[in-house]
Amino acid sequence: MSGGVDSSVVAGMLAADGHDVVGATLQLYDHGAAAKRRGACCAGDDIHDARRVADRLGIPHYVIDAEQRFRDSVIVPFAASYAAGETPVPCISCNQGVKFTDLLGLARELGCEAMATGHYVRRVAGPGGAELHRPVDAGRDQSWFLFGTTRDQLEFLRFPLGDMPDKAAVRQQAERLGLPVAAKPDSQDLCFVPDGSYAELVTRLRPETAEPGEIVGEDGAVLGRHDGLAGYTVGQGRRLGPAAMRGGERQRVVSLDPRTRRVVVAPRGRDTVRSLALRDANWLVDRPDAGLRCQVQLRAREPVRAAVLTGDGVMLDEPALPAPGQACVVYHGSRILGGGFIRRAA
């Protein structure tokens, strides 16, 4: 229970159905502004909201101090990934570690029969066991963030909101249940960034990411300067200064080189990458053979692309601009087969 409307509705629905529900909230950080900012999660006012919901439902509620674990498994690797020239996805790290490993393990220790969350994704009972599918509400789809869920974890997990038609229906359910968070705004941005500026956090943990360097074209020509790699990701077109235009064409970031501290730009629309190597792969099916045709999603809000699995990654039908550190999630229709994180080119 994060203190938001989604997990609160899940608790309410399960309690209304007669289940013996125990609410658990992870305290993930506690640093001033972020803990008091509405629309964050898992700290300060949000823990208070989760407790109010539990009291309204008449269920026990526990707050688990996971601050150090969250820092070690999510925040520190987040900064390290930027220092390595990648674009990390901390929500995936949080799901893989603190939520679906630590919290799920605690649920089992307490003798619970399942752990339910407010994620928008569907768990479908298939002939070979539980399957993970996209939700009914495509606009709320969180399946990309959950590719790291293991098969064993999926057997224990439940996602009641996956069949909800839209967020309005979820809020209506919250009102019917009399939950005090029915009108609470959705969480925004990264939960652990106090002011929405991740670069400040990254540079504090990894000062080398604040060192200035050159913005160059793919031919090596120096086009401008930057104030630190922490402010740039692959695909970005902002903050390029005089390097934003070259030869009448708008530029965007195509790679980051932490060794030379260079930001490399190229004209928009000239995607050239088809072969992707992946690391830390996770499969929710028996590992597919190379040559399997599939669809892949390279960013959280991008459409899927046609591809073929290779020995250590995928081959896209059409070139793209993948960002190292982002997830490449493999789908067959609505079902997640698995995925991995995109490696930086050697």
Side-chain angles (χ1 to χ4, degrees):
M1 297 180 68
S2 67
V5 66
D6 294 329
S7 57
S8 298
V9 165
V10 167
M13 291 169 61
L14 294 173
D17 286 343
H19 294 284
D20 185 7
V21 180
V22 177
T25 300
L26 294 166
Q27 179 174 314
L28 300 182
Y29 56 89
D30 184 13
H31 44 69
K36 295 180 176 61
R37 178 168 56 90
R38 304 298 294 186
C41 74
C42 306
D45 290 341
D46 298 287
I47 293 176
H48 175 67
D49 287 342
R51 192 180 300 280
R52 287 199 300 148
V53 170
D55 289 344
R56 172 69 179 83
L57 297 174
I59 64 173
H61 176 253
Y62 300 96
V63 178
I64 300 160
D65 183 359
E67 187 174 347
Q68 189 61 50
R69 167 73 164 141
F70 184 71
R71 176 181 172 82
D72 293 343
S73 65
V74 177
I75 298 178
V76 171
F78 172 79
S81 185
Y82 268 104
E86 297 181 338
T87 306
V89 193
C91 294
I92 294 178
S93 300
C94 184
N95 289 328
Q96 287 179 321
V98 178
K99 291 181 180 176
F100 289 176
T101 299
D102 299 354
L103 187 56
L104 189 148
L106 177 61
R108 283 177 162 152
E109 290 177 9
L110 292 174
C112 297
E113 297 176 352
M115 187 174 89
T117 80
H119 289 99
Y120 286 83
V121 68
R122 288 185 300 132
R123 177 189 180 277
V124 177
E131 301 174 358
L132 194 60
H133 287 254
R134 294 187 187 274
V136 171
D137 183 0
R140 295 278 170 178
D141 185 0
Q142 293 175 306
S143 61
W144 185 81
F145 294 98
L146 297 178
F147 88 88
T149 307
T150 68
R151 296 166 84 171
D152 179 63
Q153 291 167 349
L154 187 56
E155 290 293 339
F156 194 72
L157 288 164
R158 302 293 185 272
F159 305 105
L161 300 188
D163 292 314
M164 284 289 194
D166 51 36
K167 188 59 176 270
V170 176
R171 293 196 182 278
Q172 289 169 5
Q173 184 73 275
E175 292 173 357
R176 283 194 293 269
L177 292 165
L179 302 184
V181 296
K184 185 176 180 177
D186 291 341
S187 59
Q188 302 291 332
D189 303 318
L190 298 181
C191 68
F192 55 88
V193 177
D195 57 3
S197 175
Y198 70 86
E200 182 180 339
L201 172 69
V202 171
T203 55
R204 186 170 72 249
L205 295 177
R206 299 298 295 258
E208 68 270 30
T209 63
E211 296 177 3
E214 297 172 335
I215 300 176
V216 303
E218 289 184 301
D219 59 359
V222 177
L223 307 176
R225 303 278 300 177
H226 66 80
D227 294 326
L229 292 182
Y232 297 86
T233 61
V234 170
Q236 179 176 326
R238 298 175 293 104
R239 302 187 64 194
L240 297 180
M245 293 288 291
R246 187 185 189 190
E249 294 183 292
R250 290 194 174 275
Q251 307 289 299
R252 63 176 174 175
V253 178
V254 295
S255 68
L256 304 168
D257 188 337
R259 184 180 61 83
T260 62
R261 301 198 305 276
R262 280 185 157 187
V263 172
V264 183
V265 299
R268 289 179 177 273
R270 294 189 188 178
D271 299 342
T272 59
V273 179
R274 290 188 58 211
S275 178
L276 306 183
L278 306 181
R279 59 172 173 82
D280 302 327
N282 178 69
W283 295 103
L284 284 162
V285 296
D286 293 339
R287 187 181 181 90
D289 294 330
L292 176 72
R293 290 206 60 80
C294 58
Q295 301 87 43
V296 299
Q297 188 171 330
L298 305 183
R299 287 180 175 83
R301 300 304 171 206
E302 277 194 357
V304 295
R305 301 169 181 270
V308 175
L309 292 185
T310 60
D312 63 348
V314 301
M315 178 67 72
L316 304 174
D317 284 13
E318 300 292 337
L321 182 61
Q326 291 280 289
C328 172
V329 180
V330 181
Y331 290 85
H332 179 72
S334 69
R335 184 183 181 185
I336 292 181
L337 302 183
F341 293 99
I342 301 168
R343 290 183 180 273
R344 289 187 69 243

